Amino acid sequence: MTCFTALATPLRVIVLAGLCGVCLSPLAADEVTLKNGTRFEGRSTPLFGLGTGPRGGKNRGPTTVYNVTMVDTGLARYFVPRTQVAEFVADQMGGQNQVFKLPQHGRSGAVAIQQIGRFLKVTPFDEWGRRQITINAGGKERVVIQAITEISPDYLKLEGMNHRWDSGMATSSLPRKTLAALLEKATKPDDPDHRMAIVRFYLQAQMYRDAKQELVAIEKDFPEFADNVKDVRLQLTQMQAKQLLDELSLRRAAGQHQLVYQSTLKFPSENVSRSILRDVTEMTADYENKKQQRELFVTKIHELPNDLSNKDHAEAVNKLADSLIAEFNISTMDRLESFFLYAKDGGLPADEQLALAISGMVVGSSYAETDLDRALRLWKARELVMEYLAVLPAEAYRRQEILVELDELEGIDAASIARILPLLPSAVKTPQAVVGAPFEVALPAQEEEPAVNYTVILPPEYHPGQNYPMIVALREQGKTTQQEAEWWAGTAERAGQAQRHGYIVIAPEYAAPGAFAHTYSSDSHHSVVEAIYDACRRFQVDSDRIFLSGHGMGGDAAFDIGLSHPDMFAGVIPICGVIRNNCQFYWSNAEHLPLYVIGGELDRDVPNENSGVLMRMMMQGYDLIYVEYIGRGREGFYEEIHKLFTWMALQTRPRTLRDYEMKTMRETDGRFYWFEAQGLPNTISVTDWTNRRRRGKRAMPLKVHISPGNTISISSGAERNTVWLSPDVVDFDSRLRVNMKNRMRYNDFPEADLETMLEDYRRRGDRQQIFWTRLDF
């Protein structure tokens, strides 16, 4: 039976459905939007608990309570707390997907694959859409023949031929030549309707280059379809132009301005809509304007000193002119907004224009000064701070001298230094640094602490004037730190998503070279934390947007280190990780820490092992996404990477929490946001994880609260406690009270301490969270 279905406008192409495996599948899907802005499309189902089988849980009591919302995309299931759902739109018809069926004969397996370990060997798909996978399943080595039975723009359906095993994989994971060959087998090459169905498929999959090639072939093979091909080609041109414009906008936000500017000059204009061309023209004009602003800035910095009556001022400005010009960049231009308001028309005297330029570069446009004397003192303070941060250990005495010099600078107070620090270039130089390719950073062992080594990949056009988000990637067993970094950032030859989005990637060596399991040791924490601190000192890192991730045992470590140091991260992404040991006590530390957990449905017993803790988080309404790939085991799940970057773009670390409770069991896990505890009781800090029963073992709670009356209340069983203070935490203009163990431990006005501020910055390199003083109890 033959059935014809018209393609939805504006493509206006007739395709054949229901013949030789070519069909249209309706795109009926629910839309679920979370409070953090993440959006999913798929079949939505409310659940009592995690999972769709026994792990779905039982409803207890007379009232049905659905704790979890599951969104099934066909490739994976997304589980989120019901209370995190901000908007739900049911059964939206988005159109129709072009789907191709591949008949696969010979399925006869009676043995079901219930658990999957590592893939031992995988052959490429052959011309019939079949491949062989050697897997470790339930402790036994099995060779499974997998076949593609359905091809949609988003994913492929896979079935086991000699074992019962249904799963899927992203269509984008299939080599394009293989995909084209399979589409040819699923259709009739001599039928123009079938060939147009392939074009529709490519358009839905956003494979525009392939769609264009197929249109050229159709026009050659079927001249009578020239008008239809022309219409589709026009629509394809618009899609490609819109895709390119979106890419340029993304790269622009990532600070890759040279690439964007050159691309706008070469942007195709033929048959492109006016709205798209207008956006491109505006982007080009903005870059041209910035070029003119740079020329104006250079001219003014050289000419304005000649108009100064004070010769000492003129000499001082001339000395720093080259440094000002060297730091001028598109990424630093916003600091000079106040300067440019008056630079063109000369509405201000020369000294005030120069003051705005100098002070703006030091503290930003919002705090720019028109007093040239003060602007020069700010520049001097900046130089002293940079020297302080660069002092070698053997010359530590110099730091005290610099503190004295800063104190003697008139009008330079703690607030001034707090504004200078976020805009400083990196204090630590890295001669071996390259852009877009991996390089190594090695820190020698310090006293009793081990050496720290990590791999770095910087994004294209990296510039010290721009802050970059950072991914901390923990390697899988059997892999290198370079391989883990390249999973995110790609290579010099083939850039990955982190480079595209403008992320720094570091991969610390947190485990012994031959390790096949995370040890939960203080050394692993030290390696990761110190690598982060060093990277923040060495590179221009946005500390409010640091993300921790890991594969395999690196996923185990991501759970452990993320829950132990939640204040350091904007989000944690464990991939095929297991929640064990300390994590089972620390799960409530994730109350303010977004988690994006990825795993395979058949990955050993991991889903069941994790479900208890994840379910507790779900019931508490934590910001948690748990992704379970259907029929998949222990893999890398690169298919998820685009969703990960969309999610990361929405996350920012909370700088100040006024009321929180954290759990700790280790000396390494004592600092949380603005409170730090050291000296834990042995009953808490000494844990033998080989003893499965661990009788009496518990975590120590640390509770802090700041009242509206500027009173801090602390509950801690540690020997030593520190409160880190800044105007973001408490009011420095009001009396502060600190209560601990039913005693008032502090009752005074907090005072800024420059040494505390600089030492904490020198230690952690955190540009976004700067503490002005500390109180120790």
Side-chain angles (χ1 to χ4, degrees):
M1 181 177 180
T2 304
C3 171
F4 291 88
T5 304
L7 211 67
T9 55
L11 298 183
R12 294 180 296 171
V13 179
I14 304 299
V15 298
L16 187 64
L19 190 67
C20 297
V22 183
C23 66
L24 291 172
S25 175
L27 282 174
D30 303 321
E31 292 183 0
V32 176
T33 304
L34 304 184
K35 292 178 180 178
N36 63 24
T38 305
R39 189 169 67 91
F40 301 109
E41 292 184 3
R43 190 175 69 254
S44 175
T45 306
L47 300 174
F48 306 127
L50 280 180
T52 54
R55 288 186 293 113
K58 295 181 179 180
N59 182 41
R60 300 181 183 275
T63 305
T64 300
V65 178
Y66 295 108
N67 300 299
V68 179
T69 296
M70 180 187 75
V71 181
D72 190 334
T73 66
L75 179 62
R77 303 184 186 102
Y78 292 79
F79 301 89
V80 297
R82 178 188 58 81
T83 54
Q84 283 291 331
V85 176
E87 184 179 2
F88 172 77
V89 183
D91 199 20
Q92 295 300 292
M93 295 296 296
Q96 291 181 315
N97 255 350
Q98 186 68 63
V99 177
F100 298 91
K101 305 284 187 180
L102 281 178
Q104 297 286 357
H105 303 290
R107 178 172 180 173
S108 60
V111 177
I113 301 297
Q114 297 181 342
Q115 288 188 3
I116 302 173
R118 296 172 63 87
F119 283 8
L120 305 177
K121 183 180 179 181
V122 182
T123 66
F125 284 101
D126 63 18
E127 58 182 328
W128 304 103
R130 296 191 177 197
R131 67 178 180 179
Q132 287 188 1
I133 302 181
T134 305
I135 61 174
N136 184 333
K140 295 183 180 180
E141 187 173 309
R142 297 182 185 275
V143 177
V144 181
I145 300 174
Q146 249 190 352
I148 299 172
T149 59
E150 187 175 298
I151 305 173
S152 75
D154 298 321
Y155 66 93
L156 313 171
K157 283 189 177 180
L158 305 173
E159 295 182 9
M161 295 291 100
N162 59 336
H163 292 80
R164 281 189 285 127
W165 179 22
D166 295 341
S167 64
M169 64 181 289
T171 302
S172 58
S173 300
L174 198 64
R176 295 196 173 208
K177 288 185 178 180
T178 304
L179 177 59
L182 293 178
L183 292 179
E184 185 176 350
K185 285 190 177 297
T187 57
K188 293 181 178 180
D190 58 351
D191 188 320
D193 294 326
H194 282 219
R195 297 281 291 279
M196 281 302 210
I198 294 176
V199 173
R200 177 185 172 92
F201 171 89
Y202 282 140
L203 293 177
Q204 292 175 343
Q206 298 185 21
M207 300 172 66
Y208 299 141
R209 183 185 63 185
D210 304 83
K212 185 175 182 178
Q213 292 174 349
E214 186 65 27
L215 283 172
V216 171
I218 291 172
E219 193 172 33
K220 178 181 179 181
D221 296 342
F222 307 100
E224 66 276 15
F225 267 68
D227 290 341
N228 282 345
V229 169
K230 181 179 179 181
D231 290 342
V232 178
R233 185 174 286 164
L234 287 172
Q235 297 299 323
L236 173 59
T237 299
Q238 301 304 319
M239 292 177 182
Q240 287 180 302
K242 180 62 167 60
Q243 185 185 56
L244 179 55
L245 178 59
D246 290 344
E247 183 69 15
L248 293 181
S249 298
L250 186 152
R251 297 299 187 107
R252 190 183 193 190
Q256 298 166 29
H257 301 293
Q258 188 63 31
L259 169 66
V260 175
Y261 176 57
Q262 294 300 325
S263 297
T264 62
L265 297 177
K266 302 173 184 177
F267 199 93
S269 59
E270 186 176 358
N271 296 324
V272 176
S273 71
R274 291 182 179 179
S275 62
I276 292 177
L277 290 178
R278 182 180 61 249
D279 290 344
V280 174
T281 301
E282 289 177 357
M283 199 177 290
T284 307
D286 182 60
Y287 279 115
E288 295 288 357
N289 180 55
K290 284 178 167 55
K291 286 176 62 178
Q292 294 174 7
Q293 285 182 302
R294 174 179 172 76
E295 293 169 0
L296 175 64
F297 178 77
V298 172
T299 300
K300 289 283 187 178
I301 293 301
H302 284 311
E303 291 182 351
L304 287 175
N306 298 326
D307 298 333
L308 297 176
S309 57
N310 186 320
K311 299 306 178 184
D312 291 337
H313 283 173
E315 183 179 352
V317 173
N318 284 327
K319 283 183 178 179
L320 58 85
D322 289 343
S323 296
L324 278 171
I325 293 170
E327 290 197 26
F328 185 95
N329 178 272
I330 290 179
S331 299
T332 59
M333 281 186 66
D334 61 338
R335 305 182 196 177
L336 302 172
E337 184 178 344
S338 298
F339 166 77
F340 284 119
L341 283 175
Y342 302 99
K344 285 186 179 180
D345 57 17
L348 290 179
D351 61 332
E352 294 187 15
Q353 290 186 56
L354 286 169
L356 288 173
I358 295 167
S359 61
M361 190 65 79
V362 176
V363 294
S365 179
S366 298
Y367 300 102
E369 301 271 352
T370 55
D371 183 334
L372 184 54
D373 262 328
R374 175 159 170 77
L376 289 171
R377 289 197 300 273
L378 282 170
W379 186 271
K380 177 62 176 177
R382 180 182 194 256
E383 291 181 325
L384 287 171
V385 170
M386 291 176 63
E387 183 184 354
Y388 183 100
L389 298 173
V391 168
L392 298 175
E395 301 173 345
Y397 65 88
R398 175 59 186 147
R399 294 198 192 104
Q400 294 302 316
E401 296 175 351
I402 293 172
L403 289 172
V404 172
E405 293 180 50
L406 285 169
D407 186 59
E408 292 174 350
L409 280 175
E410 181 184 350
I412 302 302
D413 54 10
S416 303
I417 303 301
R419 292 167 188 155
I420 288 172
L421 289 174
L423 303 184
L424 283 180
S426 302
V428 181
K429 304 305 178 185
T430 312
Q432 75 273 29
V434 293
V435 169
F439 61 91
E440 303 298 318
V441 173
L443 307 178
Q446 298 290 335
E447 298 179 356
E448 296 181 0
E449 301 291 356
V452 174
N453 301 280
Y454 61 99
T455 299
V456 186
I457 301 181
L458 299 176
E461 299 185 39
Y462 170 82
H463 187 273
Q466 173 162 328
N467 288 333
Y468 295 85
M470 184 169 75
I471 296 168
V472 182
L474 306 181
R475 67 175 180 84
E476 185 178 7
Q477 53 270 42
K479 301 288 186 179
T480 65
T481 57
Q482 179 174 327
Q483 288 172 316
E484 188 68 28
E486 288 177 345
W487 189 89
W488 287 96
T491 63
E493 296 75 24
R494 186 178 179 85
Q497 293 304 315
Q499 293 193 54
R500 178 172 169 253
H501 288 262
Y503 281 64
I504 296 171
V505 177
I506 68 169
E509 185 53 275
Y510 69 100
F516 271 76
H518 176 51
T519 62
Y520 297 84
S521 70
S522 60
D523 284 351
S524 63
H525 283 242
H526 172 81
S527 296
V528 174
V529 170
E530 290 302 320
I532 293 171
Y533 288 167
D534 184 73
C536 290
R537 294 189 296 260
R538 192 179 296 269
F539 309 112
Q540 215 72 15
V541 176
D542 181 350
S543 297
D544 283 341
R545 298 194 58 217
I546 298 177
F547 298 89
L548 178 66
S549 182
H551 285 85
M553 76 172 186
D556 302 351
F559 272 124
D560 177 27
I561 295 169
L563 294 175
S564 300
H565 309 279
D567 57 304
M568 296 184 67
F569 305 107
V572 177
I573 307 167
I575 304 174
C576 293
V578 187
I579 302 172
R580 289 178 180 154
N581 299 352
N582 299 69
C583 303
Q584 295 173 328
F585 294 84
Y586 284 7
W587 65 270
S588 61
N589 288 359
E591 182 178 1
H592 306 285
L593 176 68
L595 290 170
Y596 198 121
V597 183
I598 306 170
E601 180 188 22
L602 304 181
D603 181 9
R604 301 157 291 168
D605 195 40
V606 172
N608 283 323
E609 194 169 350
N610 287 347
S611 63
V613 169
L614 294 179
M615 191 59 218
R616 292 188 203 117
M617 294 180 181
M618 294 272 181
M619 293 181 70
Q620 292 297 320
Y622 289 1
D623 191 348
L624 166 65
I625 297 171
Y626 171 47
V627 189
E628 191 173 83
Y629 272 76
I630 300 169
R632 301 278 286 275
R634 187 172 179 173
E635 302 179 36
F637 298 114
Y638 194 77
E639 299 103 313
E640 198 67 21
I641 198 160
H642 291 291
K643 290 187 177 69
L644 288 176
F645 277 97
T646 300
W647 177 79
M648 286 190 288
L650 301 170
Q651 310 303 324
T652 302
R653 173 189 65 168
R655 292 191 197 174
T656 304
L657 299 174
R658 301 186 67 83
D659 189 354
Y660 62 87
E661 176 180 344
M662 295 289 160
K663 301 288 180 59
T664 182
M665 301 176 72
R666 285 179 296 214
E667 288 291 342
T668 56
D669 311 342
R671 182 163 180 167
F672 302 101
Y673 303 99
W674 48 266
F675 177 73
E676 182 176 4
Q678 293 180 325
L680 306 184
N682 288 338
T683 55
I684 296 293
S685 61
V686 179
T687 304
D688 179 11
W689 292 113
T690 62
N691 177 5
R692 289 183 173 272
R693 300 181 69 181
R694 297 189 302 278
R695 290 182 179 176
K697 193 46 60 182
R698 59 189 177 87
M700 186 177 78
L702 301 171
K703 299 179 183 180
V704 292
H705 171 70
I706 303 176
S707 72
N710 219 36
T711 296
I712 298 177
S713 299
I714 300 172
S715 176
S716 167
E719 294 178 4
R720 300 178 303 280
N721 300 275
T722 300
V723 176
W724 296 88
L725 300 176
S726 74
D728 291 333
V729 177
V730 297
D731 183 1
F732 271 54
D733 294 325
S734 300
R735 182 175 293 275
L736 174 68
R737 296 173 177 85
V738 180
N739 295 323
M740 187 173 69
K741 296 181 179 180
N742 299 319
R743 288 176 52 203
M744 183 175 292
R745 306 297 297 272
Y746 183 85
N747 184 4
D748 204 344
F749 288 84
E751 295 183 1
D753 181 73
L754 196 54
E755 184 175 9
T756 296
M757 180 187 292
L758 292 179
E759 280 301 299
D760 185 59
Y761 183 90
R762 189 174 70 87
R763 172 83 177 92
R764 299 185 301 123
D766 192 330
R767 290 177 172 80
Q768 282 65 48
Q769 188 179 62
I770 296 170
F771 292 112
W772 291 32
T773 191
R774 59 184 285 177
L775 302 176
D776 296 297
F777 306 104

